[in-house]
Amino acid sequence: MMLVNRVFAAIYDPFLALGERRSMGQQRAGLLAAAKGDVLEIGAGTGLNLRHYPDTVNALTVSEPDAAMRAVLQRRVAGIATPFAVTVSPAPAEALPFPDGVFDVVVSTLVLCTAGDPAASLDEVRRVLRPGGRLLLIEHVRGADGSRLARRQRRLARPWRAFAGGCRCDQDTVRFLSDAGFSVASLRTESWAGMPAIVSPLVVGSIGDDVWAC
């Protein structure tokens, strides 16, 4: 386990603490109220979503490929009581070791910005979702084309990525979602209060596959 990974895992929750109190905790709770059945959370990190899952969940699988983050996640899973089974997986989002169509819901919160291959990750999400399944997501996104924020994100993208564990603050995540076949029209825009402006614009929602919607 690399020292830098251990340090990042150790500071992750404290760094997000203000944002969690001011906005993200409420965003997580509102989003995850729709979780039900067999649920997969990709890139679960340190497990900040765990306390927000409702008892409509039958079973929860949380995947996290980074060993340092996963160690924190496993401790959090062990320390929380849930009415459903929780399984921890080391799988990366772009190579999920699950059969086709086995999950009712996949959850992605602040994940796609750091996924090694966002397009492959979303292809995998579609593959493991049952027909009619939902992707519940909160992701920070690139500012509007030509905006001052977008220019700032582009200028700071490299140092932010080095500081924030590979996070790409200027990624056009909505385009990746659309290209993967997800219907993005219902996504709403929100703001991540308490965090640097370059990661403040969010898209939030419960979305499905355009093919299923036809």
Side-chain angles (χ1 to χ4, degrees), residues 110-134:
L110 311 175
V111 174
L112 296 173
C113 58
T114 54
D117 188 334
S121 299
L122 288 167
D123 286 344
E124 281 288 86
V125 168
R126 282 189 58 188
R127 181 184 64 78
V128 301
L129 274 173
R130 291 177 177 137
R134 307 298 291 178

Side-chain angles (χ1 to χ4, degrees), residues 43 46 53 59 136 143 153 206:
T46 61
Y53 281 102
L136 307 184
Q153 288 172 321
S206 169

Side-chain angles (χ1 to χ4, degrees), residues 154-172:
R154 186 166 56 251
R155 185 171 66 252
L156 296 176
R158 183 173 294 180
W160 178 260
R161 188 170 185 176
F163 166 75
C167 172
R168 295 179 289 267
C169 65
D170 61 341
Q171 179 170 279
D172 189 359

Side-chain angles (χ1 to χ4, degrees), residues 134-204:
R134 307 298 291 178
L135 170 60
L136 307 184
L137 68 91
I138 302 172
E139 296 289 347
H140 68 78
V141 295
R142 191 171 68 187
D145 289 345
S147 67
R148 181 178 180 183
L149 175 58
R151 292 193 296 272
R152 185 182 301 173
Q153 288 172 321
R154 186 166 56 251
R155 185 171 66 252
L156 296 176
R158 183 173 294 180
W160 178 260
R161 188 170 185 176
F163 166 75
C167 172
R168 295 179 289 267
C169 65
D170 61 341
Q171 179 170 279
D172 189 359
T173 295
V174 175
R175 178 178 60 82
F176 279 110
L177 289 163
S178 181
D179 288 350
F182 286 98
S183 179
V184 299
S186 65
L187 287 175
R188 67 182 188 274
T189 57
E190 300 285 353
S191 181
W192 193 0
M195 291 294 288
I198 58 172
V199 292
S200 65
L202 302 172
V203 289
V204 181

